[in-house]
């Protein structure tokens, strides 16, 4: 080997070492630069995500950003979003690991990363331990933002939003990010909380728990530990329920029908009063919030359905000037709303809010 060959190899080695990626700095889930939306259980080493639409956001100046996650079942999906653009879709594993969201970002400028849960509680819970970046985090005081909370069923949760062939409800086809609820919240740059579950009803669900028994939980599967309603007080609450009730009320042999009503279906007075009672519960929880009672866009709103009338009657009888009704147009197709359907719902709701709601 000549001395020139030696110098060349040494120079090449120096270049490789110089270009090697700098080790990523860990940012704890408890770091003040990490901000959360959704009902989350905060512990020393992790933040537990349950509900669809739950997210963690951080500002940083690095070129690389990753998230440290572990999943209960390996069936939860997340979006990794940088500067308000979706960069990657993450399938969380049951083994704790780091997932790169983006690299080769422009270094030295402020970026924003968000990890957004697409799937609902049926896919299990996840633990977020923090972020990893080669740059610095930036703690900024957010401007005062509107706050919106949604209570709903599969439509609001994001069931089959991305299943354009069938309507299976498999976790990979859940996408809360493209629900009317999340799109409406983004339109107003609002803090977003989503309390929704596929199959849930106000009087009847496809399982034993109904929304009036679920609405106040931190963990959807835990009836003991309740959510602290003082920690998040929305300016606007949107309720989209009754789709599952409209199906189950005719299934007199279904176990949940028998459990709730025996053999006699509830009449219209009972149905309207049940809705009024739930809205009253929300009103008592949030005395100053505006409340929009919606329904749709599945077959509970098709021509001839009595269910929109039940919602309107309940709202009318409450005599509350800050409670409104808004019925989504029937999408006139089988299955759950897809992205384009959810977009139409968002546009409809935004138009209604802008024209009618003071919040």
């Amino acid at each position: 080997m000549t001395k020139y060959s030696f110098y060349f190899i040494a120079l090449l080695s120096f270049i490789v070492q110089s270009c090697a990626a700098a080790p990523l700095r860990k940012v704890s889930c408890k770091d003040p630069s990490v901000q959360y939306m959704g009902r989350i259980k905060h512990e020393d080493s992790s933040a537990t995500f349950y509900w669809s639409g739950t997210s963690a956001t951080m500002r940083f100046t690095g070129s690389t950003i990753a998230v440290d996650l572990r999943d209960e079942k390996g069936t939860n999906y997340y979006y990794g979003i940088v500067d308000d653009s979706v960069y990657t879709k993450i399938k969380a594993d049951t083994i704790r690991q780091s997932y790169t969201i983006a690299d080769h970002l422009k270094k030295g400028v402020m970026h924003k990363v968000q990890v957004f849960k697409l799937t609902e509680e049926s896919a299990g819970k996840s633990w977020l331990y923090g972020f990893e970046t080669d740059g610095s985090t930036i703690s900024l005081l957010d401007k005062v933002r509107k706050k919106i909370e949604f209570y709903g069923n599969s439509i609001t949760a994001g069931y089959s939003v991305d299943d354009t062939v069938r309507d299976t409800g498999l976790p990979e086809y859940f996408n809360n990010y493209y629900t009317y609820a999340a799109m409406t919240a983004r339109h107003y740059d609002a803090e977003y909380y989503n309390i929704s579950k596929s199959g849930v009803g106000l009087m009847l669900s496809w399982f034993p728990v109904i929304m009036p028994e679920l609405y106040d939980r931190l963990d959807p599967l835990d009836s003991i530990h309740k959510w602290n309603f003082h920690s998040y007080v929305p300016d606007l609450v949107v309720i989209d329920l009754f789709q599952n009730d409209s199906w189950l009320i005719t299934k007199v042999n279904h176990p949940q029908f028998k459990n709730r009503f025996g053999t006699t279906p509830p009449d219209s007075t009972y149905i309207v009063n049940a809705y009024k009672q739930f809205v009253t519960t929300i009103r008592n929880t949030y005395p100053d919030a505006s409340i929009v009672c919606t329904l749709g866009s599945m077959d509970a709103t098709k021509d001839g359905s009595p269910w929109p009338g039940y919602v309107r009657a309940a709202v009318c009888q409450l005599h509350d000037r800050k409670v409104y009704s808004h019925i989504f147009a029937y999408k006139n197709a089988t299955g759950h709303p897809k992205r384009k359907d959810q977009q139409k719902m968002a546009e409809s709701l935004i138009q209604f809010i802008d024209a009618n709601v003071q919040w």
Side-chain angles (χ1 to χ4, degrees):
M1 178 184 294
T2 67
K3 65 177 181 178
Y4 300 105
S5 299
F6 175 81
Y7 289 139
F8 176 77
I9 293 172
L11 178 61
L12 183 61
S13 176
F14 173 77
I15 292 173
V16 170
Q17 291 179 27
S18 299
C19 293
L24 298 182
R25 182 172 71 87
K26 295 185 180 298
V27 182
S28 166
C29 63
K30 295 186 70 176
D31 192 284
S33 63
V34 182
Q35 299 171 321
Y36 297 93
M37 288 194 293
R39 293 186 181 180
I40 297 168
K41 182 179 181 181
H42 294 279
E43 299 179 296
D44 288 341
S45 63
S46 65
T48 308
F49 286 18
Y50 307 100
W51 306 88
S52 58
T54 306
S55 66
T57 302
M58 184 183 75
R59 294 171 178 83
F60 67 103
T61 59
S63 62
T64 300
I65 186 69
V67 62
D68 185 2
L69 280 174
R70 179 171 70 88
D71 196 57
E72 180 183 17
K73 301 178 181 179
T75 52
N76 271 303
Y77 286 81
Y78 290 81
Y79 270 162
I81 302 163
V82 178
D83 299 333
D84 299 321
S85 296
V86 175
Y87 266 61
T88 187
K89 185 176 181 179
I90 299 166
K91 184 177 185 293
D93 198 280
T94 55
I95 299 173
R96 177 181 173 180
Q97 58 185 283
S98 177
Y99 300 87
T100 299
I101 295 172
D103 52 18
H104 299 97
L105 297 170
K106 188 173 182 179
K107 200 167 185 179
V109 300
M110 185 180 72
H111 298 288
K112 181 177 73 173
V113 63
Q114 183 182 40
V115 176
F116 187 101
K117 191 173 187 289
L118 304 177
T119 35
E120 68 171 0
E121 57 80 28
S122 61
K125 55 190 172 184
S126 301
W127 294 269
L128 185 145
Y129 298 94
F131 291 93
E132 297 175 357
T133 181
D134 59 347
S136 301
T137 60
I138 302 173
S139 295
L140 294 177
L141 291 176
D142 273 346
K143 62 184 179 182
V144 177
R145 302 172 71 186
K146 297 287 190 182
K147 298 179 180 181
I148 308 181
E149 186 165 76
F150 291 80
Y151 291 89
N153 47 43
S154 55
I155 299 170
T156 309
Y159 184 104
S160 283
V161 164
D162 284 340
D163 191 345
T164 58
V165 178
R166 295 181 293 171
D167 201 50
T168 60
L170 293 173
E172 56 264 39
Y173 297 125
F174 261 85
N175 196 327
N176 186 267
Y177 192 76
Y178 288 109
T179 60
Y180 78 94
M183 286 189 277
T184 298
R186 287 198 297 277
H187 173 83
Y188 292 110
D189 189 26
E191 290 187 46
Y192 168 54
Y193 277 48
N194 187 308
I195 314 305
S196 58
K197 178 176 172 58
S198 296
V200 76
L202 197 144
M203 302 177 298
L204 285 167
S205 301
W206 295 92
F207 39 79
V209 180
I210 56 176
M211 182 57 80
E213 299 162 353
L214 182 72
Y215 85 101
D216 61 351
R217 297 184 183 184
L218 167 62
D219 177 348
L221 301 181
D222 182 357
S223 62
I224 304 300
H225 299 93
K226 301 298 184 179
W227 170 246
N228 177 11
F229 283 103
H230 297 292
S231 64
Y232 179 80
V233 180
D235 303 293
L236 174 65
V237 176
V238 179
I239 301 170
D240 187 358
L241 294 166
F242 264 174
Q243 175 62 42
N244 291 302
D245 302 81
S246 73
W247 277 62
L248 284 163
I249 202 169
T250 65
K251 298 184 181 298
V252 296
N253 292 320
H254 192 280
Q256 299 312 320
F257 183 99
K258 292 180 178 180
N259 180 50
R260 299 284 177 178
F261 298 114
T263 59
T264 305
D267 61 16
S268 59
T269 300
Y270 182 99
I271 295 169
V272 170
N273 284 337
Y275 199 95
K276 286 167 55 180
Q277 185 175 352
F278 182 67
V279 177
T280 299
T281 298
I282 298 300
R283 163 58 69 232
N284 291 338
T285 304
Y286 303 126
D288 298 321
S290 294
I291 302 172
V292 178
C293 300
T294 66
L295 181 62
S297 59
M298 294 176 68
D299 59 7
T301 59
K302 67 182 180 182
D303 288 346
S305 170
W307 295 89
Y310 297 150
V311 173
R312 293 189 181 105
V315 170
C316 183
Q317 292 176 25
L318 284 167
H319 302 291
D320 186 328
R321 63 181 181 84
K322 295 185 73 173
V323 177
Y324 311 81
S325 62
H326 175 62
I327 307 302
F328 293 115
Y330 174 41
K331 68 185 184 68
N332 199 24
T334 58
H336 285 74
K338 311 308 176 189
R339 288 196 191 190
K340 61 180 178 60
D341 304 311
Q342 295 275 2
Q343 179 67 51
K344 290 178 181 177
M345 293 174 68
E347 292 169 357
S348 174
L349 181 58
I350 290 165
Q351 184 178 11
F352 178 83
I353 292 170
D354 287 345
N356 298 280
V357 181
Q358 296 181 358
W359 61 305

